[in-house]
Amino acid sequence: IKARAVSLLCDDMPVIADDSGLCIDALDGAPGLYSARFAGEEATDEDRNKKILKLMENEENRHAYYIASVAFIFPDGREITAEGKVEGEIMTKEEGTGGFGYDPLFYCTEIGKSFGVATPEEKNAVSHRGRALKNLCEILKKEMEE
């Protein structure tokens, strides 16, 4: 939706846009696309994290993942999309103060720690946005070869 809206303003220019969110199995994929607004329009990161902890209090299935979707629109209107994902679990309490948003609640199984204590380099190595962009690049390479 974002990419299409911008493409209307950018004649003869390619457009790229992304969106991402945290998906929690026990919450049927919520907060998902509504991650930023999950606890209300004026909510802080602290408010959102408290809401997640409250909703997850008695949940055994703590599996979660960050997902990013990237859209690329060519000047001729053709569209390409790609996704990237990083798997993990929702912890029972916040750990660390680094990152942003839900990072202190998200334990990344690939790096073995919460995103709240992970270094920027560690997070970048498993980034859902980075993976989405890498996947997009692969699709664009194939597109250009054809």
PDB file of all heavy atoms in Angstrom, residues 25-51:
ATOM      1  N   ASP A  25       2.599 -16.520  17.952  1.00  0.00           N
ATOM      2  CA  ASP A  25       1.684 -17.632  17.676  1.00  0.00           C
ATOM      3  C   ASP A  25       0.507 -17.680  18.644  1.00  0.00           C
ATOM      4  O   ASP A  25      -0.632 -17.839  18.219  1.00  0.00           O
ATOM      5  CB  ASP A  25       2.439 -18.965  17.734  1.00  0.00           C
ATOM      6  CG  ASP A  25       3.378 -19.173  16.557  1.00  0.00           C
ATOM      7  OD1 ASP A  25       3.446 -18.307  15.665  1.00  0.00           O
ATOM      8  OD2 ASP A  25       4.066 -20.221  16.545  1.00  0.00           O
ATOM      9  N   ALA A  26       0.777 -17.560  19.942  1.00  0.00           N
ATOM     10  CA  ALA A  26      -0.280 -17.673  20.953  1.00  0.00           C
ATOM     11  C   ALA A  26      -1.323 -16.564  20.845  1.00  0.00           C
ATOM     12  O   ALA A  26      -2.426 -16.690  21.379  1.00  0.00           O
ATOM     13  CB  ALA A  26       0.327 -17.689  22.355  1.00  0.00           C
ATOM     14  N   LEU A  27      -0.970 -15.484  20.150  1.00  0.00           N
ATOM     15  CA  LEU A  27      -1.909 -14.363  19.956  1.00  0.00           C
ATOM     16  C   LEU A  27      -2.434 -14.339  18.521  1.00  0.00           C
ATOM     17  O   LEU A  27      -2.823 -13.295  18.011  1.00  0.00           O
ATOM     18  CB  LEU A  27      -1.226 -13.043  20.313  1.00  0.00           C
ATOM     19  CG  LEU A  27      -0.652 -12.932  21.728  1.00  0.00           C
ATOM     20  CD1 LEU A  27      -0.006 -11.560  21.936  1.00  0.00           C
ATOM     21  CD2 LEU A  27      -1.717 -13.204  22.776  1.00  0.00           C
ATOM     22  N   ASP A  28      -2.443 -15.500  17.884  1.00  0.00           N
ATOM     23  CA  ASP A  28      -2.937 -15.626  16.503  1.00  0.00           C
ATOM     24  C   ASP A  28      -2.236 -14.666  15.547  1.00  0.00           C
ATOM     25  O   ASP A  28      -2.866 -14.077  14.662  1.00  0.00           O
ATOM     26  CB  ASP A  28      -4.455 -15.429  16.435  1.00  0.00           C
ATOM     27  CG  ASP A  28      -5.213 -16.503  17.192  1.00  0.00           C
ATOM     28  OD1 ASP A  28      -4.777 -17.673  17.171  1.00  0.00           O
ATOM     29  OD2 ASP A  28      -6.234 -16.177  17.822  1.00  0.00           O
ATOM     30  N   GLY A  29      -0.930 -14.466  15.761  1.00  0.00           N
ATOM     31  CA  GLY A  29      -0.147 -13.612  14.869  1.00  0.00           C
ATOM     32  C   GLY A  29      -0.095 -12.151  15.268  1.00  0.00           C
ATOM     33  O   GLY A  29       0.614 -11.365  14.642  1.00  0.00           O
ATOM     34  N   ALA A  30      -0.843 -11.772  16.281  1.00  0.00           N
ATOM     35  CA  ALA A  30      -0.792 -10.381  16.750  1.00  0.00           C
ATOM     36  C   ALA A  30       0.546 -10.160  17.449  1.00  0.00           C
ATOM     37  O   ALA A  30       1.161 -11.111  17.919  1.00  0.00           O
ATOM     38  CB  ALA A  30      -1.954 -10.109  17.701  1.00  0.00           C
ATOM     39  N   PRO A  31       0.990  -8.946  17.508  1.00  0.00           N
ATOM     40  CA  PRO A  31       0.406  -7.723  16.979  1.00  0.00           C
ATOM     41  C   PRO A  31       0.564  -7.554  15.465  1.00  0.00           C
ATOM     42  O   PRO A  31      -0.145  -6.770  14.855  1.00  0.00           O
ATOM     43  CB  PRO A  31       1.133  -6.616  17.725  1.00  0.00           C
ATOM     44  CG  PRO A  31       2.387  -7.203  18.210  1.00  0.00           C
ATOM     45  CD  PRO A  31       2.141  -8.681  18.365  1.00  0.00           C
ATOM     46  N   GLY A  32       1.491  -8.260  14.828  1.00  0.00           N
ATOM     47  CA  GLY A  32       1.606  -8.241  13.369  1.00  0.00           C
ATOM     48  C   GLY A  32       1.784  -6.850  12.795  1.00  0.00           C
ATOM     49  O   GLY A  32       2.584  -6.062  13.291  1.00  0.00           O
ATOM     50  N   LEU A  33       1.012  -6.550  11.763  1.00  0.00           N
ATOM     51  CA  LEU A  33       1.102  -5.240  11.111  1.00  0.00           C
ATOM     52  C   LEU A  33       0.725  -4.093  12.039  1.00  0.00           C
ATOM     53  O   LEU A  33       1.047  -2.944  11.775  1.00  0.00           O
ATOM     54  CB  LEU A  33       0.189  -5.183   9.880  1.00  0.00           C
ATOM     55  CG  LEU A  33       0.618  -6.015   8.684  1.00  0.00           C
ATOM     56  CD1 LEU A  33      -0.431  -5.928   7.582  1.00  0.00           C
ATOM     57  CD2 LEU A  33       1.963  -5.562   8.172  1.00  0.00           C
ATOM     58  N   TYR A  34       0.052  -4.419  13.125  1.00  0.00           N
ATOM     59  CA  TYR A  34      -0.391  -3.389  14.055  1.00  0.00           C
ATOM     60  C   TYR A  34       0.562  -3.250  15.247  1.00  0.00           C
ATOM     61  O   TYR A  34       0.187  -2.710  16.285  1.00  0.00           O
ATOM     62  CB  TYR A  34      -1.815  -3.688  14.536  1.00  0.00           C
ATOM     63  CG  TYR A  34      -2.766  -3.819  13.377  1.00  0.00           C
ATOM     64  CD1 TYR A  34      -3.189  -5.070  12.946  1.00  0.00           C
ATOM     65  CD2 TYR A  34      -3.183  -2.699  12.673  1.00  0.00           C
ATOM     66  CE1 TYR A  34      -4.026  -5.196  11.846  1.00  0.00           C
ATOM     67  CE2 TYR A  34      -4.024  -2.817  11.586  1.00  0.00           C
ATOM     68  CZ  TYR A  34      -4.443  -4.070  11.175  1.00  0.00           C
ATOM     69  OH  TYR A  34      -5.261  -4.191  10.087  1.00  0.00           O
ATOM     70  N   SER A  35       1.807  -3.721  15.090  1.00  0.00           N
ATOM     71  CA  SER A  35       2.770  -3.707  16.191  1.00  0.00           C
ATOM     72  C   SER A  35       2.920  -2.334  16.828  1.00  0.00           C
ATOM     73  O   SER A  35       2.937  -2.201  18.057  1.00  0.00           O
ATOM     74  CB  SER A  35       4.132  -4.210  15.718  1.00  0.00           C
ATOM     75  OG  SER A  35       4.064  -5.594  15.454  1.00  0.00           O
ATOM     76  N   ALA A  36       3.008  -1.292  16.022  1.00  0.00           N
ATOM     77  CA  ALA A  36       3.212   0.060  16.554  1.00  0.00           C
ATOM     78  C   ALA A  36       1.971   0.589  17.272  1.00  0.00           C
ATOM     79  O   ALA A  36       2.078   1.410  18.185  1.00  0.00           O
ATOM     80  CB  ALA A  36       3.612   1.020  15.441  1.00  0.00           C
ATOM     81  N   ARG A  37       0.796   0.116  16.892  1.00  0.00           N
ATOM     82  CA  ARG A  37      -0.456   0.635  17.457  1.00  0.00           C
ATOM     83  C   ARG A  37      -1.160  -0.376  18.360  1.00  0.00           C
ATOM     84  O   ARG A  37      -2.302  -0.189  18.737  1.00  0.00           O
ATOM     85  CB  ARG A  37      -1.399   1.032  16.312  1.00  0.00           C
ATOM     86  CG  ARG A  37      -0.824   2.083  15.403  1.00  0.00           C
ATOM     87  CD  ARG A  37      -1.713   2.390  14.201  1.00  0.00           C
ATOM     88  NE  ARG A  37      -1.937   1.275  13.298  1.00  0.00           N
ATOM     89  CZ  ARG A  37      -1.070   0.831  12.381  1.00  0.00           C
ATOM     90  NH1 ARG A  37       0.104   1.389  12.260  1.00  0.00           N
ATOM     91  NH2 ARG A  37      -1.366  -0.165  11.585  1.00  0.00           N
ATOM     92  N   PHE A  38      -0.462  -1.451  18.718  1.00  0.00           N
ATOM     93  CA  PHE A  38      -1.082  -2.580  19.417  1.00  0.00           C
ATOM     94  C   PHE A  38      -1.714  -2.195  20.750  1.00  0.00           C
ATOM     95  O   PHE A  38      -2.731  -2.763  21.146  1.00  0.00           O
ATOM     96  CB  PHE A  38      -0.053  -3.691  19.618  1.00  0.00           C
ATOM     97  CG  PHE A  38      -0.629  -4.975  20.114  1.00  0.00           C
ATOM     98  CD1 PHE A  38      -1.591  -5.657  19.388  1.00  0.00           C
ATOM     99  CD2 PHE A  38      -0.212  -5.513  21.312  1.00  0.00           C
ATOM    100  CE1 PHE A  38      -2.120  -6.846  19.840  1.00  0.00           C
ATOM    101  CE2 PHE A  38      -0.730  -6.707  21.781  1.00  0.00           C
ATOM    102  CZ  PHE A  38      -1.687  -7.375  21.039  1.00  0.00           C
ATOM    103  N   ALA A  39      -1.135  -1.259  21.447  1.00  0.00           N
ATOM    104  CA  ALA A  39      -1.676  -0.844  22.744  1.00  0.00           C
ATOM    105  C   ALA A  39      -2.344   0.526  22.660  1.00  0.00           C
ATOM    106  O   ALA A  39      -2.590   1.169  23.674  1.00  0.00           O
ATOM    107  CB  ALA A  39      -0.561  -0.833  23.793  1.00  0.00           C
ATOM    108  N   GLY A  40      -2.632   0.979  21.446  1.00  0.00           N
ATOM    109  CA  GLY A  40      -3.266   2.274  21.251  1.00  0.00           C
ATOM    110  C   GLY A  40      -2.337   3.253  20.549  1.00  0.00           C
ATOM    111  O   GLY A  40      -1.122   3.087  20.562  1.00  0.00           O
ATOM    112  N   GLU A  41      -2.930   4.250  19.939  1.00  0.00           N
ATOM    113  CA  GLU A  41      -2.182   5.227  19.142  1.00  0.00           C
ATOM    114  C   GLU A  41      -1.117   5.977  19.937  1.00  0.00           C
ATOM    115  O   GLU A  41      -0.072   6.306  19.425  1.00  0.00           O
ATOM    116  CB  GLU A  41      -3.140   6.235  18.497  1.00  0.00           C
ATOM    117  CG  GLU A  41      -4.017   5.660  17.409  1.00  0.00           C
ATOM    118  CD  GLU A  41      -3.259   5.280  16.151  1.00  0.00           C
ATOM    119  OE1 GLU A  41      -2.228   5.898  15.843  1.00  0.00           O
ATOM    120  OE2 GLU A  41      -3.727   4.336  15.468  1.00  0.00           O
ATOM    121  N   GLU A  42      -1.399   6.274  21.191  1.00  0.00           N
ATOM    122  CA  GLU A  42      -0.485   7.074  22.013  1.00  0.00           C
ATOM    123  C   GLU A  42       0.422   6.218  22.901  1.00  0.00           C
ATOM    124  O   GLU A  42       1.180   6.754  23.712  1.00  0.00           O
ATOM    125  CB  GLU A  42      -1.285   8.049  22.891  1.00  0.00           C
ATOM    126  CG  GLU A  42      -2.200   8.976  22.110  1.00  0.00           C
ATOM    127  CD  GLU A  42      -1.450   9.887  21.154  1.00  0.00           C
ATOM    128  OE1 GLU A  42      -0.375  10.380  21.523  1.00  0.00           O
ATOM    129  OE2 GLU A  42      -1.943  10.085  20.023  1.00  0.00           O
ATOM    130  N   ALA A  43       0.368   4.901  22.756  1.00  0.00           N
ATOM    131  CA  ALA A  43       1.111   4.009  23.640  1.00  0.00           C
ATOM    132  C   ALA A  43       2.618   4.114  23.410  1.00  0.00           C
ATOM    133  O   ALA A  43       3.077   4.374  22.298  1.00  0.00           O
ATOM    134  CB  ALA A  43       0.664   2.569  23.417  1.00  0.00           C
ATOM    135  N   THR A  44       3.353   3.905  24.477  1.00  0.00           N
ATOM    136  CA  THR A  44       4.819   3.885  24.418  1.00  0.00           C
ATOM    137  C   THR A  44       5.284   2.437  24.234  1.00  0.00           C
ATOM    138  O   THR A  44       4.491   1.488  24.363  1.00  0.00           O
ATOM    139  CB  THR A  44       5.416   4.429  25.724  1.00  0.00           C
ATOM    140  OG1 THR A  44       5.040   3.540  26.792  1.00  0.00           O
ATOM    141  CG2 THR A  44       4.924   5.838  26.022  1.00  0.00           C
ATOM    142  N   ASP A  45       6.588   2.278  23.978  1.00  0.00           N
ATOM    143  CA  ASP A  45       7.158   0.926  23.910  1.00  0.00           C
ATOM    144  C   ASP A  45       6.877   0.185  25.214  1.00  0.00           C
ATOM    145  O   ASP A  45       6.530  -0.996  25.206  1.00  0.00           O
ATOM    146  CB  ASP A  45       8.663   0.982  23.662  1.00  0.00           C
ATOM    147  CG  ASP A  45       9.013   1.403  22.246  1.00  0.00           C
ATOM    148  OD1 ASP A  45       8.128   1.404  21.366  1.00  0.00           O
ATOM    149  OD2 ASP A  45      10.195   1.717  22.016  1.00  0.00           O
ATOM    150  N   GLU A  46       7.013   0.881  26.327  1.00  0.00           N
ATOM    151  CA  GLU A  46       6.756   0.268  27.638  1.00  0.00           C
ATOM    152  C   GLU A  46       5.312  -0.215  27.736  1.00  0.00           C
ATOM    153  O   GLU A  46       5.052  -1.329  28.215  1.00  0.00           O
ATOM    154  CB  GLU A  46       7.062   1.268  28.752  1.00  0.00           C
ATOM    155  CG  GLU A  46       6.881   0.693  30.141  1.00  0.00           C
ATOM    156  CD  GLU A  46       7.194   1.699  31.247  1.00  0.00           C
ATOM    157  OE1 GLU A  46       7.711   2.798  30.961  1.00  0.00           O
ATOM    158  OE2 GLU A  46       6.901   1.368  32.407  1.00  0.00           O
ATOM    159  N   ASP A  47       4.363   0.590  27.271  1.00  0.00           N
ATOM    160  CA  ASP A  47       2.946   0.203  27.289  1.00  0.00           C
ATOM    161  C   ASP A  47       2.718  -1.051  26.443  1.00  0.00           C
ATOM    162  O   ASP A  47       2.005  -1.971  26.872  1.00  0.00           O
ATOM    163  CB  ASP A  47       2.057   1.325  26.742  1.00  0.00           C
ATOM    164  CG  ASP A  47       2.078   2.590  27.569  1.00  0.00           C
ATOM    165  OD1 ASP A  47       2.314   2.514  28.797  1.00  0.00           O
ATOM    166  OD2 ASP A  47       1.869   3.670  26.972  1.00  0.00           O
ATOM    167  N   ARG A  48       3.304  -1.074  25.258  1.00  0.00           N
ATOM    168  CA  ARG A  48       3.130  -2.228  24.364  1.00  0.00           C
ATOM    169  C   ARG A  48       3.736  -3.490  24.978  1.00  0.00           C
ATOM    170  O   ARG A  48       3.141  -4.569  24.918  1.00  0.00           O
ATOM    171  CB  ARG A  48       3.739  -1.931  22.997  1.00  0.00           C
ATOM    172  CG  ARG A  48       2.914  -0.945  22.175  1.00  0.00           C
ATOM    173  CD  ARG A  48       3.470  -0.747  20.781  1.00  0.00           C
ATOM    174  NE  ARG A  48       4.656   0.100  20.772  1.00  0.00           N
ATOM    175  CZ  ARG A  48       4.638   1.428  20.768  1.00  0.00           C
ATOM    176  NH1 ARG A  48       3.491   2.076  20.766  1.00  0.00           N
ATOM    177  NH2 ARG A  48       5.762   2.108  20.739  1.00  0.00           N
ATOM    178  N   ASN A  49       4.923  -3.358  25.566  1.00  0.00           N
ATOM    179  CA  ASN A  49       5.567  -4.519  26.175  1.00  0.00           C
ATOM    180  C   ASN A  49       4.767  -5.034  27.369  1.00  0.00           C
ATOM    181  O   ASN A  49       4.618  -6.249  27.545  1.00  0.00           O
ATOM    182  CB  ASN A  49       7.001  -4.185  26.575  1.00  0.00           C
ATOM    183  CG  ASN A  49       7.906  -4.095  25.368  1.00  0.00           C
ATOM    184  OD1 ASN A  49       7.608  -4.615  24.302  1.00  0.00           O
ATOM    185  ND2 ASN A  49       9.031  -3.435  25.528  1.00  0.00           N
ATOM    186  N   LYS A  50       4.223  -4.135  28.166  1.00  0.00           N
ATOM    187  CA  LYS A  50       3.387  -4.546  29.297  1.00  0.00           C
ATOM    188  C   LYS A  50       2.150  -5.302  28.813  1.00  0.00           C
ATOM    189  O   LYS A  50       1.744  -6.294  29.417  1.00  0.00           O
ATOM    190  CB  LYS A  50       2.977  -3.336  30.138  1.00  0.00           C
ATOM    191  CG  LYS A  50       4.065  -2.826  31.045  1.00  0.00           C
ATOM    192  CD  LYS A  50       3.571  -1.655  31.878  1.00  0.00           C
ATOM    193  CE  LYS A  50       4.691  -1.133  32.767  1.00  0.00           C
ATOM    194  NZ  LYS A  50       4.268   0.038  33.544  1.00  0.00           N
ATOM    195  N   LYS A  51       1.556  -4.823  27.735  1.00  0.00           N
ATOM    196  CA  LYS A  51       0.372  -5.492  27.191  1.00  0.00           C
ATOM    197  C   LYS A  51       0.724  -6.901  26.721  1.00  0.00           C
ATOM    198  O   LYS A  51      -0.011  -7.855  27.012  1.00  0.00           O
ATOM    199  CB  LYS A  51      -0.237  -4.678  26.045  1.00  0.00           C
ATOM    200  CG  LYS A  51      -1.485  -5.325  25.471  1.00  0.00           C
ATOM    201  CD  LYS A  51      -2.195  -4.451  24.466  1.00  0.00           C
ATOM    202  CE  LYS A  51      -3.447  -5.166  23.959  1.00  0.00           C
ATOM    203  NZ  LYS A  51      -4.265  -4.327  23.106  1.00  0.00           N
TER     204      LYS A  51
END
